[in-house]
Amino acid sequence: MNEERKILVEEVDSVEKPPLAKVEDAVEEKAAPVMAPSPYEAESDASKLTRKRDYLEGFLAQQPTETPAGEAGGDLYEAVVDTLKSIYDPEIPVNIYDLGLIYGVEITPDNHAIVTMTLTTPHCPVAESMPGEIEMQVGSVPGVGHSEVNLVWDPPWDPGKMSDEAKLELGML
């Protein structure tokens, strides 16, 4: 370790310019990729094709599962949510769904809609009229037999329940 290292310096007057590379002169050299040995290396092409066909046949034979109308992603559920998105808070220019006032939407097997919601405060000026308006609007959705609105105060509403779109609309992002 105590050996002294010497750096040799050679002075040169000029250096020959290397020749320019031309596309015509390029030789295709394929570098062999470094890969872990595959258990399928010894497998013939015909057996690989058969294996792939088996996989694809099973995949292509699957039928998409239909979402029931009353579950999230179902037609009736989405229609109720769209209706809730059309109802705006009278004091804030944001719909009640994006505002985070809707805690849950449930569609029963009888196609009855149950909306669980809150208001921004218990002393909200529309505390008496808003649930009735929502019940009427949701009840008018085609396919809904009966609508019910449950007004809850626990957990209390806070601005963290708002969607990003609502926060952007109100300048909070």
Side-chain angles (χ1 to χ4, degrees):
M1 285 276 142
N2 290 336
E3 292 181 25
E4 193 174 312
R5 295 186 180 191
K6 294 183 182 180
I7 300 175
L8 298 176
V9 177
E10 182 181 346
E11 289 188 27
V12 180
D13 293 329
S14 66
V15 176
E16 227 179 273
K17 193 172 186 180
L20 296 175
K22 296 180 183 176
V23 174
E24 298 88 34
D25 298 337
V27 178
E28 279 193 42
E29 290 183 27
K30 287 189 175 180
V34 179
M35 299 171 64
S38 169
Y40 301 109
E41 277 182 10
E43 189 177 16
S44 70
D45 290 338
S47 63
K48 284 181 187 176
L49 185 60
T50 304
R51 181 172 41 85
K52 287 182 181 177
R53 280 190 186 145
D54 289 345
Y55 171 74
L56 287 175
E57 284 174 7
F59 177 75
L60 295 174
Q62 291 178 352
Q63 294 297 320
T65 57
E66 236 179 84
T67 306
E71 290 185 20
D75 294 336
L76 189 56
Y77 179 90
E78 294 302 323
V80 169
V81 169
D82 288 343
T83 299
L84 292 171
K85 285 184 177 182
S86 71
I87 302 171
Y88 283 77
D89 185 292
E91 297 174 319
I92 305 170
V94 177
N95 69 66
I96 61 172
Y97 192 85
D98 288 336
L99 201 54
L101 298 177
I102 305 300
Y103 287 169
V105 175
E106 182 185 340
I107 307 294
T108 66
D110 303 350
N111 289 346
H112 298 308
I114 302 170
V115 177
T116 304
M117 67 168 293
T118 191
L119 296 171
T120 51
T121 69
H123 304 291
C124 182
V126 293
E128 289 181 18
S129 63
M130 179 70 80
E133 178 186 343
I134 293 169
E135 193 170 297
M136 187 174 66
Q137 292 278 344
V138 170
S140 68
V141 171
V144 173
H146 172 74
S147 65
E148 177 183 329
V149 174
N150 295 326
L151 189 61
V152 296
W153 301 109
D154 189 37
W157 178 85
D158 63 79
K161 294 184 182 351
M162 294 186 339
S163 70
D164 288 342
E165 291 84 9
K167 289 177 184 177
L168 184 64
E169 180 72 29
L170 296 175
M172 296 173 70
L173 275 182

